[in-house]
Amino acid sequence: MRFGKVLISCLVTATYTIGTSLSFPVQKTSAQSTPRPYVVLVNGYNDCCAWNMETAVSELKKNGAEIRLVPWDGFEDGGKEKSRTSNDATFLSEAADFINNKLDPNRPLVMIGHSFGGDSLLSLAPRINRRIQFLGVIDPVAAGGLRLPVKGRGVPSNVDYFFNRWQKNGLNLRNVVPFDSRTVNGSIFSCQAKICDQEEQNLARNSDGLENRVSCGAHEISCSGWRLPGCNFRGCWKGSNGTKSKRLDHNDMPLDGLIQSQIAVNARSAVRISSTSLRGQSDRIDPRTAYQKYRLNQVSALDQIGNNFAFSALPNGDLLAIKKSGTASGHVEVHILTA
């Protein structure tokens, strides 16, 4: 039997570039009529904070997505948290009924949840009897405000792309939960999704991956740029507290620029790939002049092109690269390059 969540305070891959001088054949694609994607955003305890992912929501809406905003303990669109018994049974029952019986099975399904909402989605996914194109969780928290039970939820094989980000920063008033986050990492065991994208992120970053920096306290003398005011024979100068990298707190994670960008790009790509059919016409693309702009610059460049890669052009002009074998993740990897 699954225990309800204990009420607690809300204090609570791919880099895309090609570095070869050879041109290579790619398949042109023609898109089928694509049903409107259905996106579910699930808040955590005390109605925090997935609904505030304005950048990701805006990008998904540009691609025609319909957005449903729900709390972790119910499935009413625009509803607020109601549970005082710490139980998400209503969410699981109502969400499974709607998705399995009322939502058009041809519509791509994207589900994203933060904190308690992420845990509720991990419990919901095995109850869904259709494909989930994208399942994203951000620092999910389970019963008692703990991370450890979340790790054992698993990700079923009906998920195409599983996205998971968590933090492991120090204890403070805004970063109380997960209570065991200082000792337990947030990776989920038994991920059977086609792509399992799991990563710890402790520093706040912009959408381009650059760190956010904040001012240091006067006592933090090790900060870059810290100095006392003073004078010498050359003149006087003002003091400076310097700056440091901003650490991510639990409730700040859904608002992080990089996390929102990654969710928007990967959810959009997962939906697009699932809705695209290929045809036999081929062109030749010269990578010396095409696909030179980064859509996402995060981990590493594509490795050397061999028979384990398949390439195809997408309807919007992007390049789809599928690595079929020899991947570090042990799964087929999908990369998208933009011209």
Side-chain angles (χ1 to χ4, degrees):
M1 181 178 294
R2 170 174 162 78
F3 293 100
K5 300 181 180 74
V6 175
L7 292 179
I8 58 175
S9 167
C10 198
L11 296 174
V12 162
T13 46
T15 298
Y16 307 128
T17 185
I18 296 181
T20 175
S21 61
L22 300 176
S23 61
F24 49 89
V26 297
Q27 296 292 317
K28 279 189 174 180
T29 60
S30 59
Q32 297 172 335
S33 177
T34 304
R36 190 180 184 191
Y38 197 80
V39 178
V40 180
L41 284 182
V42 188
N43 267 343
Y45 178 73
N46 203 26
D47 299 319
C48 178
C49 302
W51 294 10
N52 297 328
M53 301 174 65
E54 295 180 357
T55 301
V57 168
S58 176
E59 289 300 314
L60 291 169
K61 283 183 175 179
K62 289 179 182 178
N63 289 269
E66 178 182 354
I67 309 295
R68 187 184 186 114
L69 306 176
V70 299
W72 65 271
D73 62 348
F75 204 64
E76 178 187 359
D77 192 9
K80 300 296 184 181
E81 174 188 274
K82 297 178 180 178
S83 176
R84 292 296 179 266
T85 60
S86 307
N87 196 315
D88 61 0
T90 299
F91 171 87
L92 297 175
S93 174
E94 292 180 349
D97 177 63
F98 176 84
I99 293 171
N100 289 332
N101 302 317
K102 300 173 184 177
L103 183 66
D104 181 350
N106 294 314
R107 295 185 68 177
L109 177 61
V110 174
M111 301 194 296
I112 304 160
H114 167 245
S115 193
F116 276 8
D119 182 49
S120 293
L121 284 180
L122 286 167
S123 298
L124 173 66
R127 303 175 183 224
I128 301 303
N129 57 21
R130 50 154 291 168
R131 290 179 65 190
I132 303 170
Q133 275 75 10
F134 184 89
L135 173 62
V137 296
I138 305 171
D139 217 16
V141 178
L146 298 174
R147 173 177 286 166
L148 185 60
V150 179
K151 293 176 67 68
R153 298 276 185 252
V155 181
S157 58
N158 62 323
V159 176
D160 286 350
Y161 196 113
F162 177 60
F163 178 93
N164 177 23
R165 293 293 183 270
W166 67 91
Q167 53 81 29
K168 197 174 180 180
N169 286 321
L171 177 68
N172 62 58
L173 291 178
R174 289 180 51 83
N175 206 43
V176 174
V177 298
F179 292 121
D180 55 356
S181 65
R182 268 57 71 180
T183 58
V184 178
N185 74 48
S187 62
I188 306 301
F189 297 143
S190 185
C191 179
Q192 300 179 50
K194 293 180 177 63
I195 298 176
C196 296
D197 179 3
Q198 305 196 73
E199 187 175 311
E200 181 179 304
Q201 183 178 330
N202 293 316
L203 299 181
R205 296 184 181 277
N206 300 317
S207 59
D208 58 7
L210 296 178
E211 292 181 8
N212 284 339
R213 299 189 69 82
V214 294
S215 297
C216 300
H219 63 286
E220 297 179 284
I221 61 175
S222 62
C223 282
S224 174
W226 187 94
R227 66 177 181 175
L228 286 171
C231 297
N232 58 24
F233 67 93
R234 294 180 178 176
C236 297
W237 61 88
K238 295 181 179 180
S240 172
N241 291 341
T243 63
K244 62 182 178 181
S245 300
K246 181 180 179 182
R247 309 292 292 187
L248 271 178
D249 295 329
H250 177 74
N251 288 343
D252 292 335
M253 293 199 74
L255 308 181
D256 182 76
L258 180 60
I259 290 175
Q260 290 198 66
S261 175
Q262 291 173 331
I263 285 176
V265 168
N266 291 316
R268 183 175 58 211
S269 298
V271 168
R272 181 188 298 153
I273 292 167
S274 72
S275 305
T276 302
S277 63
L278 305 181
R279 67 187 185 191
Q281 184 179 0
S282 66
D283 280 346
R284 299 193 67 83
I285 302 296
D286 187 347
R288 294 171 297 181
T289 56
Y291 305 109
Q292 297 299 305
K293 297 179 181 178
Y294 289 98
R295 179 180 293 277
L296 176 64
N297 186 3
Q298 182 190 349
V299 182
S300 64
L302 295 177
D303 49 16
Q304 294 183 7
I305 297 171
N307 292 331
N308 58 340
F309 268 102
F311 295 92
S312 180
L314 294 175
N316 70 341
D318 287 355
L319 179 67
L320 169 66
I322 301 177
K323 190 173 184 182
K324 300 176 289 184
S325 62
T327 63
S329 65
H331 297 269
V332 172
E333 293 182 355
V334 177
H335 309 264
I336 296 202
L337 298 89
T338 186

